[in-house]
Amino acid sequence: MAASTIRTTFALDAETVDRLETLAREWNVSKSEALRRVIKGARAHAESRTPAEALDRVQHALALTPPRAAAWATRLKRERRQASAKRETRA
């Protein structure tokens, strides 16, 4: 059975749209799919009883795999090094 789609319109501030577009690019999905994943993750978080359960549910909802987690960690380290280098240059 095909999934039904309901088209709707939301008014979002510029910062939220930027974040949504960034997530969609990082996950290589449409903005609609990124929004669905965020909503699923938020629902899973709200339904969790412990922080560990919340993490498990969010990782599952986002289809977080070990390679994706490793890529995220690598990207985060690079961004932190770049930010640190910029601060050192200013000082």
Side-chain angles (χ1 to χ4, degrees):
M1 180 164 88
S4 63
T5 301
I6 299 170
R7 298 208 178 268
T8 188
T9 303
F10 293 96
L12 302 172
D13 59 272
E15 181 181 353
T16 301
V17 172
D18 288 343
R19 289 179 178 189
L20 179 60
E21 289 173 345
T22 298
L23 286 174
R25 271 193 312 276
E26 288 176 1
W27 295 339
N28 197 29
V29 297
S30 67
K31 288 184 282 187
S32 295
E33 176 61 19
L35 186 57
R36 282 189 291 270
R37 290 180 181 188
V38 169
I39 291 169
K40 286 178 185 177
R43 185 180 64 221
H45 176 73
E47 294 171 354
S48 298
R49 293 184 184 95
T50 69
E53 289 174 345
L55 179 60
D56 286 344
R57 288 175 189 246
V58 169
Q59 287 176 333
H60 179 74
L62 299 177
L64 186 62
T65 62
R68 282 184 168 175
W72 174 82
T74 300
R75 190 170 57 249
L76 183 63
K77 287 176 187 175
R78 184 177 345 112
E79 290 172 4
R80 287 181 176 171
R81 279 194 294 270
Q82 289 171 347
S84 179
K86 286 178 185 177
R87 278 195 301 271
E88 289 176 7
T89 304
R90 290 181 194 154

